[in-house]
Coordinates of all heavy atoms in Angstrom, one line a residue:
M1 N -39.6 -9.1 -38.7 CA -39.9 -8.6 -37.4 C -39.3 -7.0 -37.3 O -39.9 -6.1 -36.9 CB -39.6 -9.4 -36.2 CG -40.3 -10.7 -36.2 SD -39.5 -12.0 -35.2 CE -39.9 -11.3 -33.4
A2 N -38.0 -7.1 -37.7 CA -37.2 -5.9 -37.7 C -38.0 -4.9 -38.8 O -38.0 -3.7 -38.5 CB -35.8 -6.1 -38.0
C3 N -38.3 -5.4 -39.8 CA -38.8 -4.6 -40.9 C -40.1 -3.9 -40.3 O -40.4 -2.7 -40.5 CB -39.3 -5.3 -42.1 SG -39.9 -4.5 -43.4
E4 N -40.9 -4.6 -39.5 CA -42.1 -4.1 -39.0 C -41.8 -2.9 -37.9 O -42.4 -1.9 -37.9 CB -43.0 -5.1 -38.3 CG -44.1 -4.7 -37.5 CD -45.1 -3.9 -38.4 OE1 -45.3 -4.3 -39.5 OE2 -45.7 -3.0 -37.9
A5 N -40.7 -3.2 -37.0 CA -40.5 -2.1 -36.1 C -39.8 -1.0 -36.8 O -40.1 0.2 -36.3 CB -39.5 -2.8 -35.1
I6 N -39.0 -1.2 -37.8 CA -38.5 0.0 -38.5 C -39.5 0.8 -39.2 O -39.5 2.1 -39.3 CB -37.3 -0.5 -39.5 CG1 -36.2 -1.1 -38.7 CG2 -36.8 0.6 -40.3 CD1 -35.2 -1.9 -39.5
T7 N -40.5 0.0 -39.9 CA -41.6 0.7 -40.6 C -42.5 1.5 -39.5 O -42.8 2.6 -39.9 CB -42.4 -0.4 -41.3 OG1 -41.7 -1.1 -42.2 CG2 -43.6 0.2 -42.1
N8 N -42.7 0.9 -38.4 CA -43.3 1.5 -37.4 C -42.6 3.0 -37.0 O -43.4 4.0 -36.8 CB -43.6 0.8 -36.3 CG -44.8 -0.2 -36.5 OD1 -45.5 -0.1 -37.3 ND2 -44.9 -1.0 -35.4
A9 N -41.4 2.9 -36.9 CA -40.6 4.1 -36.5 C -40.8 5.3 -37.4 O -40.9 6.3 -37.1 CB -39.2 3.7 -36.4
I10 N -40.8 4.8 -38.8 CA -41.0 5.7 -39.9 C -42.3 6.3 -39.9 O -42.7 7.5 -40.1 CB -40.4 5.2 -41.2 CG1 -39.0 4.9 -41.2 CG2 -40.8 6.1 -42.4 CD1 -38.5 4.0 -42.3
R11 N -43.3 5.3 -39.8 CA -44.7 5.8 -39.9 C -45.4 6.4 -38.8 O -46.2 7.3 -38.9 CB -45.6 4.4 -40.2 CG -45.5 3.9 -41.6 CD -46.5 2.9 -41.9 NE -47.9 3.4 -41.8 CZ -49.0 2.7 -41.5 NH1 -48.9 1.5 -41.3 NH2 -50.1 3.3 -41.3
H12 N -45.0 6.0 -37.6 CA -45.7 6.4 -36.4 C -44.9 7.4 -35.5 O -45.4 7.9 -34.4 CB -46.0 5.2 -35.6 CG -47.0 4.3 -36.3 ND1 -48.1 4.7 -36.8 CD2 -46.8 3.1 -36.6 CE1 -48.9 3.7 -37.5 NE2 -48.0 2.7 -37.3
S13 N -43.6 7.6 -35.8 CA -42.9 8.6 -34.9 C -42.3 9.8 -35.7 O -42.5 9.7 -37.0 CB -41.7 7.9 -34.2 OG -40.5 8.0 -35.1
D14 N -41.8 10.8 -35.0 CA -41.4 11.9 -35.8 C -40.3 11.6 -36.6 O -39.7 12.5 -37.4 CB -41.0 13.1 -34.7 CG -42.2 13.5 -34.0 OD1 -43.3 13.3 -34.5 OD2 -42.1 14.4 -33.0
S15 N -39.5 10.4 -36.5 CA -38.4 10.1 -37.4 C -38.9 10.1 -38.8 O -38.2 10.5 -39.9 CB -37.9 8.7 -37.2 OG -37.4 8.6 -36.0
G16 N -40.2 9.9 -39.1 CA -40.8 10.0 -40.5 C -41.4 11.3 -40.9 O -42.2 11.3 -41.9
D17 N -41.3 12.3 -40.1 CA -41.8 13.6 -40.3 C -41.3 14.1 -41.7 O -40.2 14.3 -42.0 CB -41.4 14.6 -39.3 CG -42.3 15.9 -39.3 OD1 -42.6 16.3 -40.4 OD2 -42.4 16.5 -38.3
L18 N -42.5 14.4 -42.7 CA -42.0 14.7 -44.0 C -41.4 16.1 -44.1 O -40.6 16.3 -44.9 CB -43.3 14.7 -44.9 CG -43.8 13.3 -45.1 CD1 -45.2 13.5 -46.0 CD2 -42.9 12.4 -45.8
E19 N -41.7 17.0 -43.1 CA -41.3 18.3 -43.2 C -39.8 18.4 -42.6 O -38.9 19.2 -42.9 CB -42.2 19.3 -42.3 CG -43.6 19.4 -42.8 CD -43.6 20.0 -44.2 OE1 -42.8 21.0 -44.4 OE2 -44.4 19.6 -45.0
D20 N -39.7 17.5 -41.4 CA -38.3 17.6 -40.7 C -37.9 16.2 -40.3 O -38.1 15.8 -39.1 CB -38.6 18.4 -39.5 CG -37.3 18.6 -38.7 OD1 -36.3 18.4 -39.2 OD2 -37.4 19.0 -37.5
P21 N -37.6 15.4 -41.3 CA -37.3 14.0 -41.0 C -36.2 13.7 -40.0 O -35.1 14.5 -40.1 CB -37.0 13.4 -42.4 CG -36.7 14.6 -43.2 CD -37.3 15.7 -42.7
G22 N -36.3 12.9 -39.2 CA -35.3 12.5 -38.2 C -34.6 11.2 -38.6 O -34.6 10.7 -39.8
T23 N -34.0 10.5 -37.8 CA -33.3 9.3 -38.0 C -34.0 8.2 -37.3 O -34.6 8.5 -36.3 CB -31.8 9.4 -37.6 OG1 -31.8 9.7 -36.1 CG2 -31.1 10.5 -38.4
A24 N -33.7 7.0 -37.7 CA -34.1 5.7 -36.9 C -32.7 4.9 -36.9 O -32.1 4.8 -37.9 CB -35.2 5.0 -37.6
T25 N -32.4 4.5 -35.7 CA -31.3 3.7 -35.5 C -31.6 2.2 -35.1 O -32.4 2.1 -34.3 CB -30.5 4.4 -34.4 OG1 -30.1 5.7 -34.7 CG2 -29.1 3.7 -34.2
V26 N -30.9 1.3 -35.8 CA -31.1 0.0 -35.6 C -29.9 -0.6 -34.8 O -28.8 -0.5 -35.4 CB -31.5 -0.8 -36.8 CG1 -31.8 -2.4 -36.6 CG2 -32.7 -0.1 -37.6
V27 N -30.1 -1.2 -33.8 CA -29.0 -2.0 -33.1 C -29.4 -3.5 -33.0 O -30.4 -3.8 -32.5 CB -28.7 -1.6 -31.7 CG1 -27.7 -2.3 -31.0 CG2 -28.4 0.0 -31.7
V28 N -28.5 -4.4 -33.5 CA -28.7 -5.8 -33.5 C -27.6 -6.5 -32.7 O -26.4 -6.2 -32.9 CB -28.8 -6.5 -35.0 CG1 -28.9 -8.0 -35.0 CG2 -29.7 -5.8 -35.8
S29 N -27.9 -7.3 -31.8 CA -27.0 -7.9 -30.9 C -27.5 -9.3 -30.8 O -28.6 -9.7 -30.9 CB -26.9 -7.2 -29.6 OG -28.1 -7.1 -28.8
G30 N -26.4 -10.2 -30.5 CA -26.8 -11.6 -30.4 C -26.0 -12.2 -29.2 O -25.0 -11.8 -28.7
A31 N -26.6 -13.2 -28.4 CA -26.0 -14.0 -27.5 C -26.5 -15.4 -27.6 O -27.6 -15.6 -27.5 CB -26.2 -13.4 -26.1
G32 N -25.6 -16.4 -27.9 CA -26.0 -17.8 -27.9 C -26.9 -17.8 -29.2 O -26.7 -17.4 -30.3
R33 N -28.1 -18.3 -29.0 CA -29.1 -18.4 -30.2 C -30.1 -17.4 -30.0 O -31.3 -17.6 -30.6 CB -29.9 -19.9 -30.1 CG -28.7 -20.9 -30.3 CD -29.3 -22.3 -30.1 NE -30.4 -22.6 -30.9 CZ -30.4 -23.1 -32.2 NH1 -29.2 -23.2 -32.8 NH2 -31.5 -23.2 -32.8
T34 N -30.0 -16.3 -29.3 CA -30.8 -15.3 -29.1 C -30.4 -14.0 -29.8 O -29.2 -13.7 -29.8 CB -31.3 -14.8 -27.7 OG1 -31.7 -16.1 -27.0 CG2 -32.2 -13.7 -27.5
V35 N -31.2 -13.4 -30.7 CA -30.9 -12.2 -31.3 C -31.9 -11.1 -30.6 O -33.0 -11.2 -30.4 CB -31.0 -12.3 -32.7 CG1 -32.6 -12.4 -33.2 CG2 -30.5 -10.9 -33.6
R36 N -31.2 -9.9 -30.5 CA -32.1 -8.8 -30.0 C -31.9 -7.6 -30.9 O -30.9 -7.4 -31.4 CB -31.5 -8.4 -28.6 CG -32.2 -7.2 -27.8 CD -31.6 -6.9 -26.6 NE -32.1 -5.6 -26.0 CZ -33.1 -5.5 -25.1 NH1 -33.7 -6.7 -24.7 NH2 -33.5 -4.5 -24.6
V37 N -33.1 -7.1 -31.2 CA -33.1 -5.9 -32.1 C -33.8 -4.8 -31.5 O -34.8 -4.9 -30.7 CB -33.9 -6.2 -33.4 CG1 -34.1 -5.0 -34.3 CG2 -33.3 -7.3 -34.2
E38 N -33.1 -3.6 -31.5 CA -33.5 -2.4 -30.9 C -33.6 -1.3 -32.1 O -32.8 -1.2 -32.8 CB -32.6 -1.9 -29.8 CG -32.4 -2.8 -28.6 CD -31.3 -2.5 -27.8 OE1 -30.5 -1.7 -28.2 OE2 -31.3 -2.9 -26.5
V39 N -34.9 -0.8 -32.1 CA -35.1 0.3 -33.1 C -35.3 1.7 -32.3 O -36.4 1.7 -31.6 CB -36.2 0.1 -34.0 CG1 -36.4 1.1 -35.0 CG2 -35.9 -1.3 -34.7
L40 N -34.5 2.7 -32.4 CA -34.5 3.8 -31.7 C -35.2 4.9 -32.6 O -34.7 5.1 -33.7 CB -33.1 4.3 -31.2 CG -33.1 5.8 -30.7 CD1 -33.8 5.9 -29.4 CD2 -31.7 6.2 -30.5
D41 N -36.2 5.5 -32.3 CA -36.9 6.6 -33.1 C -36.9 7.8 -32.5 O -36.5 8.0 -31.3 CB -38.3 6.1 -33.7 CG -39.2 6.0 -32.8 OD1 -39.3 6.7 -31.7 OD2 -40.2 5.1 -32.7
A42 N -37.4 8.8 -33.1 CA -37.5 10.3 -32.6 C -38.7 10.4 -31.7 O -38.9 11.6 -31.3 CB -37.6 11.2 -33.8
S43 N -39.4 9.5 -31.3 CA -40.6 9.5 -30.5 C -41.6 10.3 -31.1 O -41.6 10.7 -32.3 CB -40.3 10.0 -29.1 OG -41.2 9.8 -28.1
S44 N -42.8 10.3 -30.4 CA -44.0 11.0 -31.0 C -44.8 11.5 -29.8 O -45.0 10.8 -28.8 CB -44.8 10.0 -31.8 OG -45.1 8.7 -31.1
P45 N -45.4 12.7 -29.9 CA -46.1 13.1 -28.8 C -47.5 12.4 -28.5 O -48.0 12.4 -27.5 CB -46.4 14.7 -29.2 CG -46.3 14.7 -30.7 CD -45.4 13.6 -31.1
D46 N -48.1 11.9 -29.7 CA -49.5 11.5 -29.5 C -49.7 9.9 -29.5 O -50.8 9.5 -29.3 CB -50.3 12.1 -30.7 CG -50.4 13.5 -30.6 OD1 -50.3 14.2 -29.5 OD2 -50.3 14.1 -31.7
T47 N -48.6 9.2 -29.9 CA -48.8 7.9 -30.1 C -47.6 7.1 -29.2 O -46.7 7.6 -29.1 CB -48.9 7.3 -31.4 OG1 -47.6 7.6 -32.0 CG2 -50.0 7.9 -32.2
A48 N -47.9 5.8 -29.0 CA -46.9 4.9 -28.4 C -47.1 3.5 -28.9 O -48.3 3.2 -29.2 CB -46.9 5.0 -26.9
P49 N -46.3 2.6 -29.0 CA -46.4 1.3 -29.5 C -47.4 0.7 -28.5 O -47.4 0.6 -27.3 CB -45.0 0.7 -29.3 CG -44.2 1.9 -29.3 CD -44.8 2.9 -28.7
R50 N -48.4 0.0 -29.2 CA -49.4 -0.7 -28.4 C -50.0 -1.8 -29.3 O -50.1 -1.6 -30.5 CB -50.5 0.3 -28.0 CG -51.3 0.9 -29.2 CD -52.4 1.8 -28.8 NE -53.0 2.4 -30.0 CZ -53.8 1.7 -30.8 NH1 -54.3 0.6 -30.4 NH2 -54.2 2.3 -32.0
L51 N -50.7 -2.8 -28.7 CA -51.2 -3.9 -29.4 C -52.6 -3.2 -29.8 O -53.4 -2.9 -28.9 CB -51.5 -5.1 -28.6 CG -50.1 -5.7 -28.3 CD1 -50.5 -7.0 -27.4 CD2 -49.4 -6.3 -29.6
A52 N -53.0 -3.1 -31.0 CA -54.3 -2.4 -31.5 C -55.4 -3.4 -31.0 O -55.2 -4.5 -31.1 CB -54.1 -2.2 -33.0
D53 N -56.5 -2.9 -31.0 CA -57.8 -3.7 -30.7 C -57.8 -4.7 -31.9 O -57.7 -4.3 -33.1 CB -58.9 -2.8 -30.7 CG -59.0 -1.8 -29.4 OD1 -58.1 -2.2 -28.5 OD2 -59.6 -0.8 -29.4
E54 N -58.2 -5.8 -31.5 CA -58.6 -6.8 -32.6 C -59.8 -6.5 -33.3 O -60.8 -6.4 -32.8 CB -58.5 -8.2 -32.0 CG -56.9 -8.6 -31.4 CD -56.9 -9.9 -30.7 OE1 -57.5 -10.9 -31.4 OE2 -56.2 -10.2 -29.8
D55 N -59.6 -6.4 -34.6 CA -60.8 -6.1 -35.4 C -60.6 -7.1 -36.7 O -59.6 -6.7 -37.6 CB -60.9 -4.8 -35.7 CG -62.1 -4.4 -36.7 OD1 -62.7 -5.3 -37.2 OD2 -62.3 -3.2 -37.0
L56 N -61.3 -7.9 -37.0 CA -61.1 -8.8 -38.1 C -61.2 -8.1 -39.5 O -60.5 -8.5 -40.4 CB -62.1 -10.0 -38.2 CG -61.8 -11.1 -37.1 CD1 -62.9 -12.2 -37.1 CD2 -60.4 -11.7 -37.2
E57 N -61.9 -7.0 -39.5 CA -62.1 -6.3 -40.6 C -61.0 -5.2 -40.8 O -60.9 -4.6 -41.9 CB -63.5 -5.5 -40.6 CG -64.6 -6.4 -40.6 CD -64.7 -7.3 -41.7 OE1 -64.6 -6.8 -42.9 OE2 -65.2 -8.4 -41.5
A58 N -60.2 -4.9 -40.0 CA -59.2 -3.8 -40.1 C -58.2 -4.1 -41.0 O -57.7 -5.3 -41.3 CB -58.5 -3.6 -38.6
V59 N -57.6 -3.1 -41.7 CA -56.6 -3.4 -42.7 C -55.2 -2.9 -42.1 O -54.2 -3.0 -42.9 CB -56.9 -2.5 -44.0 CG1 -58.1 -3.1 -44.6 CG2 -57.1 -1.1 -43.7
S60 N -55.2 -2.5 -41.0 CA -54.0 -2.2 -40.3 C -54.1 -2.6 -38.8 O -55.0 -3.2 -38.3 CB -53.6 -0.8 -40.3 OG -54.6 0.0 -39.7
G61 N -52.9 -2.5 -38.1 CA -52.9 -2.9 -36.6 C -52.7 -4.3 -36.4 O -52.8 -4.7 -35.2
R62 N -51.9 -4.9 -37.3 CA -51.4 -6.3 -37.0 C -50.0 -6.4 -36.7 O -49.6 -7.5 -36.3 CB -51.9 -7.2 -38.2 CG -53.4 -7.3 -38.3 CD -53.7 -8.4 -39.3 NE -55.2 -8.6 -39.3 CZ -56.1 -7.9 -39.9 NH1 -55.8 -6.9 -40.7 NH2 -57.4 -8.3 -39.7
G63 N -49.2 -5.5 -37.1 CA -47.8 -5.6 -37.1 C -47.3 -6.0 -35.5 O -46.5 -6.9 -35.5
L64 N -47.8 -5.4 -34.6 CA -47.2 -5.5 -33.3 C -47.8 -6.9 -32.8 O -47.2 -7.6 -31.9 CB -47.4 -4.3 -32.3 CG -46.5 -3.2 -32.7 CD1 -46.8 -2.0 -31.6 CD2 -45.1 -3.5 -32.4
H65 N -49.0 -7.1 -33.2 CA -49.4 -8.5 -32.9 C -48.7 -9.6 -33.5 O -48.3 -10.7 -32.7 CB -50.9 -8.6 -33.4 CG -52.0 -8.1 -32.5 ND1 -52.5 -8.4 -31.4 CD2 -52.7 -6.9 -32.7 CE1 -53.3 -7.6 -30.8 NE2 -53.5 -6.7 -31.7
L66 N -48.2 -9.5 -34.6 CA -47.2 -10.5 -35.2 C -46.1 -10.5 -34.5 O -45.4 -11.6 -34.1 CB -47.0 -10.2 -36.7 CG -48.2 -10.5 -37.6 CD1 -47.9 -9.9 -39.0 CD2 -48.4 -12.0 -37.8
L67 N -45.4 -9.4 -34.2 CA -44.1 -9.2 -33.5 C -44.4 -9.9 -32.1 O -43.4 -10.7 -31.6 CB -43.8 -7.8 -33.4 CG -42.2 -7.5 -33.1 CD1 -42.0 -6.4 -33.9 CD2 -42.2 -7.3 -31.6
D68 N -45.6 -9.6 -31.5 CA -45.7 -10.2 -30.1 C -45.7 -11.7 -30.1 O -45.0 -12.4 -29.3 CB -47.1 -9.8 -29.6 CG -47.4 -10.0 -28.2 OD1 -46.5 -10.0 -27.3 OD2 -48.5 -10.5 -28.0
I69 N -46.5 -12.4 -31.2 CA -46.6 -13.8 -31.3 C -45.1 -14.4 -31.6 O -44.7 -15.3 -30.9 CB -47.5 -14.2 -32.3 CG1 -49.0 -13.9 -31.9 CG2 -47.4 -15.7 -32.6 CD1 -50.0 -13.8 -32.9
L70 N -44.5 -13.7 -32.6 CA -43.2 -14.4 -33.1 C -42.0 -14.3 -32.0 O -41.1 -14.9 -32.0 CB -42.8 -13.7 -34.3 CG -43.7 -14.0 -35.5 CD1 -43.3 -13.2 -36.8 CD2 -43.7 -15.6 -35.9
S71 N -42.2 -13.2 -31.2 CA -41.1 -13.0 -30.2 C -41.5 -13.7 -28.9 O -40.7 -13.8 -27.8 CB -40.8 -11.7 -29.8 OG -42.1 -11.0 -29.1
G72 N -42.8 -14.3 -28.9 CA -43.1 -14.9 -27.6 C -43.4 -13.9 -26.5 O -43.1 -14.3 -25.3
G73 N -43.8 -12.8 -26.8 CA -44.0 -11.7 -25.9 C -42.8 -11.0 -25.4 O -42.9 -10.0 -24.6
R74 N -41.7 -11.3 -26.0 CA -40.4 -10.7 -25.7 C -40.2 -9.4 -26.5 O -39.3 -9.3 -27.3 CB -39.2 -11.6 -25.8 CG -39.2 -12.8 -24.7 CD -38.2 -13.7 -24.8 NE -38.2 -14.4 -26.2 CZ -37.1 -15.1 -26.7 NH1 -36.0 -15.1 -26.2 NH2 -37.3 -15.7 -27.8
W75 N -40.9 -8.4 -26.3 CA -40.8 -7.1 -26.9 C -41.2 -6.0 -25.9 O -41.9 -6.3 -24.9 CB -41.5 -7.0 -28.1 CG -43.0 -6.9 -28.2 CD1 -43.8 -7.9 -27.8 CD2 -43.8 -5.7 -28.0 NE1 -45.1 -7.4 -27.8 CE2 -45.2 -6.1 -27.8 CE3 -43.5 -4.4 -28.3 CZ2 -46.1 -5.1 -27.8 CZ3 -44.5 -3.5 -28.3 CH2 -45.8 -3.7 -28.1
G76 N -40.8 -4.8 -26.2 CA -41.4 -3.7 -25.5 C -40.9 -2.3 -25.9 O -40.2 -2.3 -27.0
S77 N -41.1 -1.2 -25.1 CA -40.6 0.0 -25.7 C -40.3 0.8 -24.4 O -40.9 0.5 -23.3 CB -41.7 0.7 -26.5 OG -42.7 1.1 -25.7
C78 N -39.4 1.7 -24.5 CA -39.0 2.5 -23.4 C -38.6 3.8 -24.0 O -38.1 4.1 -25.0 CB -37.9 1.9 -22.5 SG -36.4 1.5 -23.6
D79 N -38.9 4.9 -23.1 CA -38.8 6.3 -23.7 C -37.4 6.8 -22.9 O -37.2 6.6 -21.7 CB -39.9 7.2 -23.3 CG -41.0 6.9 -24.1 OD1 -40.9 6.3 -25.1 OD2 -42.2 7.2 -23.6
G80 N -36.6 7.4 -23.6 CA -35.4 8.0 -23.1 C -35.1 9.3 -23.4 O -35.9 10.0 -24.2
D81 N -34.0 9.9 -23.2 CA -33.6 11.3 -23.4 C -33.5 11.5 -24.9 O -33.8 12.6 -25.4 CB -32.4 11.6 -22.8 CG -32.5 11.7 -21.3 OD1 -33.5 11.7 -20.7 OD2 -31.4 11.6 -20.6
H82 N -33.2 10.5 -25.8 CA -33.0 10.8 -27.2 C -34.0 10.2 -28.1 O -33.8 9.9 -29.3 CB -31.6 10.2 -27.6 CG -30.4 10.9 -26.7 ND1 -30.1 12.2 -26.9 CD2 -29.7 10.5 -25.7 CE1 -29.1 12.6 -26.1 NE2 -28.8 11.4 -25.3
G83 N -35.1 9.7 -27.5 CA -36.2 9.2 -28.3 C -36.8 7.9 -27.5 O -36.6 7.7 -26.4
R84 N -37.4 7.1 -28.5 CA -38.1 5.9 -27.9 C -37.4 4.7 -28.6 O -37.1 4.7 -29.7 CB -39.5 5.9 -28.3 CG -40.4 4.7 -27.9 CD -41.8 4.8 -28.4 NE -42.4 5.8 -27.5 CZ -43.2 6.7 -27.9 NH1 -43.4 6.8 -29.2 NH2 -43.9 7.4 -27.0
T85 N -37.3 3.6 -27.8 CA -36.7 2.5 -28.2 C -37.8 1.4 -28.2 O -38.4 1.1 -27.2 CB -35.5 2.0 -27.5 OG1 -34.4 3.0 -27.6 CG2 -34.9 0.7 -28.1
V86 N -37.9 0.7 -29.4 CA -38.7 -0.5 -29.5 C -37.8 -1.7 -29.6 O -36.9 -1.5 -30.5 CB -39.8 -0.4 -30.6 CG1 -40.5 -1.7 -30.8 CG2 -40.7 0.7 -30.3
W87 N -38.0 -2.6 -28.8 CA -37.0 -3.8 -28.8 C -37.8 -5.1 -28.9 O -38.9 -5.2 -28.5 CB -36.1 -3.9 -27.6 CG -36.8 -4.0 -26.2 CD1 -37.3 -3.0 -25.4 CD2 -37.2 -5.2 -25.7 NE1 -38.0 -3.5 -24.5 CE2 -37.8 -5.0 -24.5 CE3 -37.0 -6.6 -26.0 CZ2 -38.5 -5.9 -23.8 CZ3 -37.4 -7.6 -25.1 CH2 -38.2 -7.2 -24.0
F88 N -37.1 -6.1 -29.4 CA -37.7 -7.5 -29.4 C -36.5 -8.5 -29.4 O -35.5 -8.2 -29.7 CB -38.7 -7.9 -30.5 CG -38.0 -7.7 -31.9 CD1 -37.5 -8.9 -32.5 CD2 -38.1 -6.7 -32.7 CE1 -36.9 -9.0 -33.6 CE2 -37.5 -6.8 -33.9 CZ -37.0 -7.8 -34.3
E89 N -36.8 -9.7 -28.9 CA -35.9 -10.7 -29.0 C -36.5 -11.9 -29.7 O -37.7 -12.2 -29.8 CB -35.4 -11.2 -27.6 CG -34.7 -10.0 -27.0 CD -34.2 -10.6 -25.5 OE1 -34.7 -11.6 -25.0 OE2 -33.5 -9.7 -24.8
A90 N -35.7 -12.7 -30.4 CA -36.1 -13.7 -31.3 C -35.1 -15.0 -30.9 O -33.9 -14.7 -30.8 CB -36.4 -13.7 -32.6
G91 N -35.5 -16.2 -30.9 CA -34.5 -17.3 -31.0 C -34.8 -18.0 -29.5 O -35.8 -17.8 -29.0
A92 N -33.8 -18.8 -29.2 CA -34.0 -19.7 -28.0 C -33.9 -18.7 -26.8 O -33.4 -17.6 -26.7 CB -32.8 -20.5 -27.9
Ligands
ADP21 N1 -42.5 3.4 -33.0 C1 -43.7 3.8 -32.7 N2 -43.9 5.0 -32.3 C2 -45.2 5.4 -31.9 N3 -46.4 4.7 -32.0 C3 -46.2 3.4 -32.5 C4 -44.9 3.0 -32.8 N4 -45.0 1.7 -33.3 C5 -46.4 1.4 -33.2 N5 -47.2 2.4 -32.7 C6 -48.5 2.5 -32.4 O1 -49.1 1.3 -32.2 C7 -50.1 1.0 -33.2 C8 -50.1 -0.5 -33.6 O2 -48.9 -0.8 -34.3 P1 -49.1 -1.9 -35.4 O3 -49.6 -3.1 -34.8 O4 -47.7 -2.0 -36.0 O5 -50.1 -1.4 -36.4 P2 -49.9 -0.4 -37.7 O6 -48.6 0.0 -37.9 O7 -50.6 -1.1 -38.9 O8 -50.7 0.8 -37.3 C9 -49.8 2.0 -34.3 O9 -51.0 2.3 -34.9 C10 -49.3 3.2 -33.5 O10 -50.4 3.9 -33.0
MG22 MG1 -47.0 -1.4 -38.1

């Protein structure tokens, strides 16, 4: 799940800009049997994290669906002064 969120940060935000690459920051925290992962990226002017339309023939657009299922819907994104954070929780 973390790999998917980090890959998205690189593929879909300005963090992965080939001309002017930025950073992606990962924060992992835990409480009891719950782990929370936050991935901060450089944001992007034209896209935002979203569940792609379901299309059985599509070769992409499944990552956030998997993350949504595996987290039980406990994920989201928020925009801040320093970029965008995509977060999810897993566990109890
Ligand atoms: N960190 C992100 N920043 C901007 N857009 C994002 C980010 N993560 C996901 N998206 C958008 O949400 C869509 C769905 O993401 P995903 O389900 O992971 O599919 P995929 O990565 O295969 O395109 C992406 O195509 C992209 O438009
Ligand atoms: Mg993806």
Side-chain angles (χ1 to χ4, degrees):
M1 293 161 78
C3 183
E4 175 58 31
I6 294 165
T7 302
N8 279 349
I10 295 167
R11 284 193 59 205
H12 299 303
S13 87
D14 289 352
S15 294
D17 188 329
L18 291 178
E19 303 291 323
D20 182 20
T23 60
T25 303
V26 182
V27 178
V28 181
S29 54
R33 293 172 59 82
T34 299
V35 64
R36 179 184 174 91
V37 176
E38 299 171 334
V39 180
L40 173 67
D41 67 36
S43 197
S44 50
D46 302 325
T47 61
R50 62 179 179 83
L51 295 176
D53 294 339
E54 293 187 36
D55 175 358
L56 289 177
E57 302 293 324
V59 295
S60 64
R62 292 191 168 82
L64 288 179
H65 280 287
L66 288 169
L67 201 144
D68 185 46
I69 291 166
L70 293 171
S71 70
R74 291 180 293 163
W75 73 278
S77 71
C78 52
D79 294 338
D81 293 342
H82 301 289
R84 175 181 290 131
T85 298
V86 176
W87 63 270
F88 66 85
E89 292 178 354

